[in-house]
Amino acid sequence: MVRTAQAHPVTKEKLLDAAQTLMLGRGFPATTVDAICDEAGVTKGSFFHYFESKEALGKALLERFAACAQQMIEEAPFQRQPDPLQRVYGYLDFTIALSKDPKHSQGCLLGTFAQELSDTSPEIRRCCANSFARWVANIQRDLDAARRRYAPKAPIDTKSLAEHLIAVMEGSIILCKAQRDPRVVERNLGHFRRYLTGLFGR
């Protein structure tokens, strides 16, 4: 019984890992349950033991992806910067470094699902919207603190600015794939950094 209990989470993670690899490479619609099981090396019965459908797996995968990304950002060295604006700049540098790491070259699952499934899966669309909202809120927190410190009278809409940063990042990932050029992310985030410097005067 102990062996079985320990094996279950491993099997579930194998399915999620396989699905993430395939869905980032092929997209959600083109990834079948059979392909996920083959990639994970498990039976179809194991799949349906953990997930009632491919959509249920997609929702679980998206939640895991967002949680892992959040944890990675929270533990990044730039978070130790006492200056909120430097934390924002550190976040840009951190994202550029990730874009050059082959382990993260497949793209963003959140962006992929939002593009592919918003019109066909209300549940996954809500998950995407909630994940983007949390992402915006995390960036906005430091932007709010930076505005209070450096530009208290400036009419800076920090929520819109945070959304703009995410749009630049997600758009850069799309261009990077189309052009097969990872430098796109660095160039575009460099432009955004210069824009921030103009807004905050430093």
Side-chain angles (χ1 to χ4, degrees), residues 4 6-7 15 25 30 45 59 65 67 74 82 92 113 159 169 177 182:
T4 302
Q6 290 176 338
L15 286 164
K59 182 181 175 183
F65 182 86
E74 288 177 352
L92 300 181
F113 278 18
K159 181 180 179 182
M169 292 168 65
K177 283 188 169 186

Side-chain angles (χ1 to χ4, degrees), residues 166-181:
I166 292 173
V168 170
M169 292 168 65
E170 292 292 332
S172 295
I173 290 170
I174 293 172
L175 289 174
C176 181
K177 283 188 169 186
Q179 298 175 15
R180 290 288 188 262
D181 183 1

Side-chain angles (χ1 to χ4, degrees), residues 7-135:
H8 280 182
V10 173
T11 301
K12 185 176 182 180
E13 288 301 307
K14 281 183 178 179
L15 286 164
L16 291 169
D17 289 342
Q20 181 165 321
T21 297
L22 293 173
M23 289 176 180
L24 281 172
R26 305 176 183 178
F28 183 95
T31 301
T32 64
V33 171
D34 286 332
I36 294 168
C37 292
D38 288 344
E39 178 76 14
V42 304
T43 65
K44 210 165 181 178
S46 295
F47 180 96
F48 287 108
H49 176 75
Y50 292 107
F51 307 105
E52 63 181 21
S53 64
K54 189 174 80 166
E55 184 178 44
L57 174 139
K59 182 181 175 183
L61 181 58
L62 186 60
E63 290 171 348
R64 187 186 74 157
F65 182 86
C68 288
Q70 178 66 25
Q71 181 179 3
M72 183 169 57
I73 291 168
E74 288 177 352
E75 294 175 354
F78 72 84
Q79 295 287 8
R80 294 193 288 272
Q81 280 277 0
D83 186 317
L85 187 57
Q86 292 306 314
R87 287 198 296 273
V88 177
Y89 290 148
Y91 179 47
L92 300 181
D93 293 337
F94 177 75
T95 303
I96 290 168
L98 281 184
S99 74
K100 297 177 181 178
D101 187 339
K103 291 186 295 184
H104 299 279
S105 62
Q106 279 191 299
C108 174
L109 194 75
L110 178 56
T112 298
F113 278 18
Q115 290 179 77
E116 293 185 334
L117 301 171
S118 290
D119 293 332
T120 57
S121 174
E123 187 64 25
I124 289 182
R125 185 202 63 76
R126 282 192 291 271
C127 287
C128 289
N130 290 337
S131 294
F132 276 124
R134 286 192 295 269
W135 192 2

